[in-house]
Amino acid sequence: MTALRGFTTVTFFADDLDAARSWYTSVFEIEPYFDKGGAYLEWRVGDYQHEFGVLKSAFAPHPVSGGQASGAIIYWAVDDVEAAYQRLLSLGASEHDKPTERGTGYVTASVLDPFGNILGVMRNQHYQDVLDARR
């Protein structure tokens, strides 16, 4: 069996791909690098250029109910969870889970994006240790 090597592409869903493009371009502060004409968008973001995609809900491999959270919570590493959480709320997300310390060096929070997906942010000591070791 091949070992799992880590996350690659995270895919969310949206009924309105134009609105999703605008919102996530504001969140990431970059335009998507890939645009599959009205069906799929993808950005490369973060320290390791992780891929984040938004697929038009009509093409989802499972039912996506408008306004309802779907899928797993993917946490993005951030330096300041409270600031990231407040920024997402200011961009139109709604509260899902307020910033909470989960243990020494681990703080999480999550929001619902305007399309019903759960978006998490996290201060993760392990992530920081790996990043520091790579520098």
Side-chain angles (χ1 to χ4, degrees):
M1 182 174 166
T2 303
L4 298 177
R5 298 182 54 119
F7 292 109
T8 177
T9 303
V10 176
T11 303
F12 279 7
F13 306 93
D15 291 331
D16 184 340
L17 212 55
D18 290 333
R21 177 189 190 113
S22 177
W23 197 79
Y24 275 103
T25 294
S26 294
V27 169
F28 299 137
E29 298 179 333
I30 58 170
E31 290 288 331
Y33 81 95
F34 183 77
D35 183 340
K36 184 70 173 169
Y40 182 75
L41 302 166
E42 192 168 277
W43 292 257
R44 287 193 177 139
V45 297
D47 297 319
Y48 298 102
Q49 295 294 289
H50 294 294
E51 294 176 338
F52 179 89
V54 179
L55 180 66
K56 188 166 182 74
S57 297
F59 301 109
H62 58 279
V64 177
S65 176
Q68 297 299 310
S70 61
I73 300 175
I74 302 298
Y75 289 97
W76 292 88
V78 297
D79 293 328
D80 184 333
V81 172
E82 180 66 34
Y85 176 75
Q86 291 300 326
R87 180 171 179 267
L88 292 168
L89 293 176
S90 76
L91 289 169
S94 58
E95 181 181 303
H96 181 261
D97 188 27
K98 292 180 181 179
T100 304
E101 185 171 345
R102 306 291 181 183
T104 304
Y106 297 88
V107 179
T108 67
S110 57
V111 298
L112 290 175
D113 75 7
F115 319 102
N117 301 291
I118 302 170
L119 175 63
V121 292
M122 180 178 203
R123 169 70 173 98
N124 179 315
Q125 188 58 51
H126 172 71
Y127 181 94
Q128 190 61 47
D129 292 345
V130 169
L131 186 59
D132 290 345
R134 293 185 61 104
R135 288 186 178 151

